[in-house]
Amino acid sequence: MTSLSRTRRGAELPAKTELPSRHVTLGPHRAPHRSFYYAMGLGPEEIAKPFVGVVSCWNEAAPCNIALDRQAAAVKEGVAESGGLPREFCTISVTDSLAMGHEGMRSSLVSREVIADSVELFIRGHSYDALVCVGSCDKSLPGMMMAMLRLNVPSIFLYGGSILPGRFRGRDVTVQDVFEAVGAHQAGTMSDEELHELECVACPSAGTCGGQYTANTMACVSEAIGLAMPGSTSAPAVYSNRDRIARNCGNAVMDLLASGLRPRQIVTREALENAARVVAASGGSTNAALHLPAIANEVGIEFTLADIGAIFASTPYLTSLKPGGKYVAKDLYDVGGVPVIMRALLDAGLLHGDCMTVSGRTIAQNLEGVTIPPNQDVVRPVTETMKTGGLVVLSGNLAPEGAIMKVAGLTHADFRGPARCFDSEEAAFEAVKQHAYQKGDVLVIRYEGPRGGPGMREMLSTTAALAGQGDDEGVALITDGRFSGATRGMSIGHISPEAATGGPIALVRDGDMIAIDAALGRIDVEIDAEELARREKEWKPRVTRYGSGALWRFAQIASSAASGAITHPGAAGEVFDYSSL
Ligand code: FES
């Protein structure tokens, strides 16, 4: 083997003849292909190097994505200085805060699959050798990590960073405060002027939503699972040190190419457990319980809602991050970022320290020298009296396959009340807007699951309106849809099986008593099995009005939320993976 060059840190890179990019660069029959590279200003020396895809979801749709081009450029510098040829491309992202509360939200979860598929197809189609994914808005994180595992070429994930907090009348605010202000405005406790003042100051910079919502939760996952460089996620999007972090990722992916360490060697069952621990410890988004099974599927590991629930049940809630706590993402960065949460868990024996990461070192090695700063309460060390379960997985006759509930920030974790059923989010939001519900009701929003929605919409507009009206714990909201990471209150999502496939949630009627008990992990409708069976016989599937396109396709093939709403067999169905071509 002839080595072409070495990385910046001195590691020997593999010869071109061993890399996928040989298929587009070597031999007389590839002259047409080479002519295309020359047409882009490249020369023979450059196309002899390993090809590294640098994908971001940069776009002008939202602040979440707007800073990614600069970081992708810095990644490319790092790749080039370590002997690679970086090739940049973009994929889509759907911005949940903009899609929220209307038809657009049906596109959100579906976009996760499109992001994974588009990155996969781009890399396959052009025979690249390695990959750096620069993600930000919610579904771009799991979508890109899924693609990294599916392709199994040396890869690194880089999070684009969170927004700076807004400042409103002496307190830090995020977009969550604006969603909740809509409820307060409807309830008449906030004026037009106050609402306008808040909306103008809540989001002062580029970056993702500023609490421990879905993007920041999945960013924590990217470090905990080993696919992101240690300490790379928490710096705010607009901080200049992101250039250095990004360039370092470019260097590091070349080291991975030299060492041969691949994503599927990193994401093991233990790594998935580490990720679930960090989600629970940080009071993270319930969406993680949807994305972790989907990520696991790409490695051929069955890691279901029940598996995640077992991890959640034994994980203390260490942080005080919004929406359940006081602090925003920048505050976590100021005390040391995600490594501090991981340090606390490792010290308590709650992380698998020997899991490998893209740094080429184990989790425990990465955390050497990391300490939990004193005199702060953003992240606390584990103590014996600490409560477990920022998140709880429930099951019962209403959710035989499971459901998820965030208890972080709740004053009580049980609820019993009569059902008020709505067959769409719009119907429920209208009732909440009119305050057409009683304290003690259980609002049931159904036919919003992966297939039924289709697209498993988030119910933030409705939960935020309840919070804004001061009723976030006075009523419960249960759904086969899902919740934004910014949701707070007595909210239970992912009820599986979903209504569209005849799950028990479809059989509930107004007035049925529903009992929720997070301590027992139960969610039940208090009707007997005979009555449920009788109703099941009468139930008829609803006709969808989505008869074509991406939503139709997703509605045909998406699995239950309990297994991640996945759309393909994953590594279990593979005969060979891309990286062995
Ligand atoms: Fe993009 Fe929240 S909408 S991260």
Side-chain angles (χ1 to χ4, degrees):
M1 165 185 126
T2 317
S3 178
L4 290 171
S5 58
R6 290 179 179 275
T7 70
R8 188 162 179 252
R9 296 174 181 124
E12 191 175 319
L13 287 165
K16 192 72 161 182
T17 49
E18 297 180 351
L19 296 171
S21 64
R22 71 185 185 279
H23 294 297
V24 290
T25 53
L26 296 185
H29 55 306
R30 296 305 183 222
H33 303 63
R34 287 191 295 272
S35 69
F36 261 44
Y37 293 109
Y38 299 147
M40 292 186 281
L42 302 171
E45 267 183 27
E46 284 154 313
I47 64 175
K49 295 176 179 178
F51 284 14
V52 181
V54 178
V55 58
S56 81
C57 56
W58 176 87
N59 61 51
E60 292 183 324
C64 331
N65 312 307
I66 202 82
L68 298 186
D69 52 343
R70 176 174 151 182
Q71 295 187 56
V75 170
K76 287 167 67 182
E77 282 174 27
V79 169
E81 67 191 14
S82 274
L85 176 69
R87 307 309 294 158
E88 186 178 354
F89 63 103
C90 283
T91 184
I92 66 155
S93 88
V94 171
T95 300
D96 285 9
S97 283
L98 294 170
M100 195 68 70
H102 57 91
E103 276 286 306
M105 182 46 77
R106 297 192 199 285
S107 304
S108 168
L109 181 58
V110 182
S111 77
R112 183 190 73 184
E113 306 305 298
V114 174
I115 291 163
D117 293 351
S118 66
V119 175
E120 176 199 352
L121 294 176
F122 192 96
I123 298 294
R124 277 185 187 276
H126 303 111
S127 294
Y128 287 0
D129 307 314
L131 177 64
V132 180
C133 292
V134 188
S136 55
C137 204
D138 299 358
K139 305 305 165 287
S140 67
L141 292 97
M144 286 176 170
M145 287 188 265
M146 287 160 69
M148 288 163 62
L149 291 159
R150 196 179 296 173
L151 291 159
N152 202 28
V153 289
S155 310
I156 289 183
F157 179 82
L158 170 64
Y159 183 50
S162 198
I163 197 169
L164 293 173
R167 200 77 189 149
F168 178 70
R169 303 193 176 180
R171 63 187 171 97
D172 282 347
V173 289
T174 71
V175 72
Q176 177 199 347
D177 295 86
V178 192
F179 275 104
E180 293 183 2
V182 173
H185 183 259
Q186 279 160 0
T189 55
M190 183 177 256
S191 68
D192 289 346
E193 292 72 30
E194 282 174 300
L195 182 60
H196 180 68
E197 184 187 333
L198 175 61
E199 76 187 45
C200 290
V201 299
C203 299
S205 76
T208 57
C209 298
Q212 192 63 348
Y213 314 142
T214 303
N216 282 323
T217 300
M218 294 309 295
C220 290
V221 163
S222 71
E223 279 196 42
I225 210 166
L227 293 177
M229 291 295 278
S232 64
T233 67
S234 300
V238 292
Y239 277 19
S240 301
N241 63 353
R242 286 225 145 257
D243 290 351
R244 183 175 48 74
I245 291 168
R247 212 164 43 244
N248 187 39
C249 287
N251 290 157
V253 79
M254 296 308 295
D255 288 328
L256 289 176
L257 199 54
S259 71
L261 182 61
R262 292 166 191 275
R264 291 189 190 175
Q265 294 167 282
I266 291 171
V267 177
T268 57
R269 176 169 289 278
E270 288 73 26
L272 289 157
E273 290 175 357
N274 283 347
R277 283 253 186 254
V278 171
V279 171
S282 66
S285 166
T286 51
N287 275 315
L290 193 61
H291 300 322
L292 284 173
I295 288 170
N297 181 53
E298 302 290 348
V299 219
I301 296 174
E302 205 177 301
F303 193 67
T304 64
L305 190 53
D307 297 317
I308 293 169
I311 298 289
F312 286 176
S314 58
T315 306
Y317 173 41
L318 302 179
T319 69
S320 177
L321 295 168
K322 285 176 179 253
K326 288 186 281 188
Y327 296 107
V328 297
K330 179 184 169 294
D331 297 316
L332 177 61
Y333 173 70
D334 289 341
V335 299
V338 181
V340 176
I341 302 175
M342 293 174 66
R343 173 87 258 169
L345 290 169
L346 186 70
D347 287 349
L350 293 171
L351 274 194
H352 302 288
D354 54 354
C355 285
M356 185 47 70
T357 75
V358 288
S359 70
R361 292 155 55 89
T362 64
I363 292 277
Q365 288 169 334
N366 288 341
L367 294 175
E368 278 167 15
V370 174
T371 55
I372 305 166
N375 307 319
Q376 54 82 32
D377 61 348
V378 183
V379 181
R380 296 156 297 166
V382 177
T383 60
E384 277 176 16
T385 54
M386 206 163 245
K387 275 207 259 179
T388 58
L391 294 157
V392 176
V393 170
L394 310 174
S395 66
N397 72 353
L398 194 47
E401 291 178 7
I404 188 156
M405 171 180 187
K406 183 184 282 194
V407 292
L410 288 183
T411 55
H412 60 100
D414 60 338
F415 199 97
R416 183 173 177 273
R420 290 279 319 278
C421 300
F422 303 93
D423 287 351
S424 71
E425 188 199 6
E426 284 80 3
F429 183 71
E430 206 44 45
V432 169
K433 208 167 90 181
Q434 307 298 335
H435 218 293
Y437 60 88
Q438 304 292 322
K439 230 180 176 58
D441 281 351
V442 178
L443 309 184
V444 179
I445 310 180
R446 59 195 177 189
Y447 296 101
E448 290 287 2
R451 291 188 176 205
M456 204 180 180
R457 288 192 291 182
E458 292 182 349
M459 305 294 151
L460 177 61
S461 292
T462 308
T463 57
L466 284 168
Q469 293 172 0
D471 276 334
D472 51 318
E473 291 199 47
V475 298
L477 197 156
I478 71 169
T479 181
D480 54 5
R482 59 199 173 96
F483 294 108
S484 157
T487 282
R488 63 190 171 99
M490 182 62 69
S491 308
I492 293 93
H494 304 199
I495 289 191
S496 304
E498 61 177 299
T501 59
I505 190 172
L507 312 177
V508 176
R509 293 180 182 165
D510 283 349
D512 288 343
M513 292 304 288
I514 291 177
I516 299 152
D517 192 324
L520 297 176
R522 296 289 307 182
I523 181 163
D524 294 286
V525 54
E526 294 177 354
I527 46 180
D528 60 37
E530 271 176 27
E531 173 63 10
L532 265 181
R534 195 182 61 73
R535 292 185 192 180
E536 196 175 355
K537 274 195 193 132
E538 288 172 10
W539 177 81
K540 290 193 177 47
R542 289 185 356 147
V543 178
T544 177
R545 63 187 178 126
Y546 299 89
S548 68
L551 297 183
W552 174 83
R553 192 183 304 121
F554 189 76
Q556 308 310 305
I557 56 178
S559 77
S560 154
S563 53
I566 52 177
T567 57
H568 75 125
E574 250 175 25
V575 179
F576 62 87
D577 69 64
Y578 166 75
S579 66
S580 53
L581 280 177

